[in-house]
Amino acid sequence: MLKIGSHVSFSDKGLLTATGEAVSYGSSTFMIYTGAPQNTRRKPIDSLYIPEGRQAMAEAGIGEIVVHAPYIINLGSYKEDTYRLAVDFLQEEIRRTHAIGVKNIVLHPGAYTEKDPEYGIARIAEGLNEVLDGTKECDVNIALETMAGKGTEIGRTFEELASIIEKVSANDRLTICMDTCHIHDAGYDVVNDFDGVLRKFDDLIGLNRLAVIHVNDSKNPQGAAKDRHSPIGSGWIGFEAIANVVRNDALKDKPFVLETPWIGKTEATSRPMYEAEIALLRGDAEERFGGEFLTDVERLHHFFTKEDIQPRSYVLNTWELLKSDAKAKKADPREPIERLYDLVIEKRVLSGDYSEEAVNKRLTAWFAGEKWLAKL
């Protein structure tokens, strides 16, 4: 069974809460932060409902999950206080990850700020050596994440990650988290040559180190170095390319984790599309939502075909329009799925009395295209 899930919250009853949310999306894996990713405040380990969470995971058939280290960790910093915080706090996060029973903690390698890439690579390796040396008792790997290339972040190329690994003594505890949006934005051809991307990764790093895949579409064209995630199918990568990633034989049995943005007209109505994205990528949308769901998606296809709107071309044309509108300082920031939602509501395409979330789930399925839906 495809191991696919999403980032879920880790609040209230800790692992138990996270598992419940993951199950509600139909997940077979998931990713958590052990606290807020923007700060160092953490609850005691014994208050994280770990036994209860592990039991709920077992009952749901969820085995492997992933922890993500907080964003405030920057092992590439030349500032001693920032670097020291990164080393010490990452060690604590590894201990918490070990206590939860998780094998991989995903880490943004770091940024070199006012220095240069060579300094950043060496500094990150220095920090990793110290962190790993101080957590020998923990059966936890650090999964360095592939980055998009914005600013001075390290990890935008496989070569940079390979250089870090080479400089770390205990590098048997270093793995990789590959993010589809990030490598696309960094310039790798996820859409037309993902097998070639994996071959290059294997040559430079080794597929044996690939532990986690973050599954995200992108709001920007290949090589943009922006790191702006989009719901699956509504970005420059597209549903078909993402589906090819999660079904690639070389990635069999790896955990796939969605970090796609929530969708909604307002903050109050904004909801994740995880449940629909997971079901569509796994291929069990009809089982998950029922035949009426797919019938509604067929209605959308019929309507949009009459309007001469095709999923892939519409998405790419809308992103190009948004880019040109931004340059011209026009004030219609609606993204592809928002524009389509407004059109569906205006034309009363769907007969059911659906919530905004329900309509958006059906639009998410429409992005998959008729060819893919015919397989479901």
Side-chain angles (χ1 to χ4, degrees):
M1 182 181 182
L2 182 66
K3 286 194 284 190
I4 185 166
S6 67
H7 161 237
V8 296
S9 59
F10 194 69
S11 56
D12 188 22
K13 293 186 177 180
L15 187 60
L16 184 60
T17 302
T19 303
E21 183 182 346
V23 169
S24 75
Y25 301 139
S27 303
S28 47
T29 187
F30 58 89
M31 184 178 75
I32 54 173
Y33 294 86
T34 73
Q38 303 89 356
N39 62 52
T40 60
R41 292 192 295 275
R42 293 293 183 269
K43 293 181 179 179
I45 288 174
D46 60 7
S47 69
L48 300 182
Y49 288 79
I50 294 173
E52 296 88 345
R54 298 299 304 190
Q55 182 178 343
M57 285 171 56
E59 291 171 357
I62 297 174
E64 182 179 8
I65 64 171
V66 182
V67 168
H68 199 303
Y71 305 136
I72 58 171
I73 291 175
N74 181 12
L75 291 176
S77 179
Y78 69 90
K79 297 178 180 177
E80 189 56 34
D81 56 345
T82 302
Y83 173 80
R84 181 47 47 197
L85 169 68
V87 169
D88 294 344
F89 193 40
L90 181 55
Q91 287 182 336
E92 286 303 311
E93 287 292 282
I94 287 173
R95 294 185 186 105
R96 290 166 70 82
T97 300
H98 177 71
I100 295 168
V102 175
K103 182 69 175 178
N104 286 283
I105 180 169
V106 175
L107 174 71
H108 292 182
Y112 56 84
T113 58
E114 287 93 21
K115 297 292 186 176
D116 55 44
E118 290 73 22
Y119 176 89
I121 289 169
R123 184 69 155 168
I124 291 165
E126 177 188 356
L128 289 171
N129 274 314
E130 187 174 352
V131 168
L132 293 170
D133 187 59
T135 56
K136 289 178 181 177
E137 77 284 3
C138 298
D139 184 23
V140 175
N141 297 326
I142 298 175
L144 302 174
E145 185 166 351
T146 58
M147 304 307 291
K150 62 181 174 60
T152 66
E153 63 188 13
I154 294 291
R156 70 191 73 198
T157 67
F158 300 155
E159 286 86 352
E160 287 184 346
L161 293 172
S163 294
I164 293 171
I165 292 169
E166 185 182 2
K167 290 175 168 47
V168 174
S169 301
N171 65 22
D172 58 314
R173 285 178 60 198
L174 291 183
T175 56
I176 299 294
C177 170
M178 180 180 286
D179 187 299
T180 55
C181 171
H182 293 180
I183 61 173
H184 165 87
D185 280 25
Y188 292 96
D189 193 353
V190 178
V191 177
N192 301 302
D193 190 23
F194 185 65
D195 283 337
V197 173
L198 287 182
R199 282 194 298 273
K200 183 166 187 178
F201 180 91
D202 194 28
D203 289 343
L204 291 168
I205 297 174
L207 280 170
N208 60 307
R209 287 194 189 269
L210 187 53
V212 185
I213 298 92
H214 285 172
V215 185
N216 302 295
D217 214 324
S218 174
K219 295 181 180 181
N220 289 282
Q222 182 183 338
K226 295 288 188 182
D227 186 11
R228 297 175 66 223
H229 298 187
S230 177
I232 304 302
S234 68
W236 281 84
I237 299 175
F239 183 91
E240 185 175 354
I242 295 291
N244 288 338
V245 169
V246 302
R247 290 170 178 269
N248 192 290
D249 286 341
L251 306 181
K252 188 178 179 181
D253 299 327
K254 306 289 185 188
F256 295 91
V257 176
L258 292 155
E259 300 176 302
T260 50
W262 290 25
I263 300 299
K265 302 291 286 182
T266 67
E267 187 174 341
T269 61
S270 184
R271 296 292 302 150
M273 294 295 104
Y274 300 148
E275 184 181 19
E277 291 168 327
I278 290 168
L280 290 161
L281 290 169
R282 184 182 285 143
D284 62 0
E286 183 170 12
E287 180 183 341
R288 182 76 185 177
F289 298 112
E292 185 182 357
F293 179 87
L294 294 185
T295 299
D296 285 336
V297 178
E298 287 176 10
R299 288 195 185 99
L300 292 175
H301 276 290
H302 180 69
F303 169 73
F304 288 132
T305 298
K306 286 198 305 179
E307 297 290 320
D308 196 25
I309 296 174
Q310 299 300 322
R312 188 77 179 132
S313 58
Y314 181 83
V315 166
L316 299 186
N317 289 339
T318 301
W319 287 118
E320 289 286 7
L321 177 65
L322 284 166
K323 187 163 64 173
S324 63
D325 281 357
K327 288 180 181 177
K329 297 184 179 178
K330 293 184 180 178
D332 185 1
R334 292 177 303 156
E335 296 180 2
I337 197 167
E338 296 175 272
R339 293 168 185 250
L340 292 171
Y341 173 86
D342 289 343
L343 185 58
V344 166
I345 297 302
E346 178 191 345
K347 300 295 185 180
R348 300 182 180 179
V349 179
L350 300 176
S351 56
D353 184 20
Y354 295 127
S355 66
E356 184 179 350
E357 178 185 1
V359 173
N360 281 330
K361 284 181 178 178
R362 286 155 173 77
L363 285 169
T364 298
W366 175 78
F367 283 128
E370 289 183 289
K371 214 189 308 185
W372 181 263
L373 291 171
K375 300 177 184 178
L376 302 180

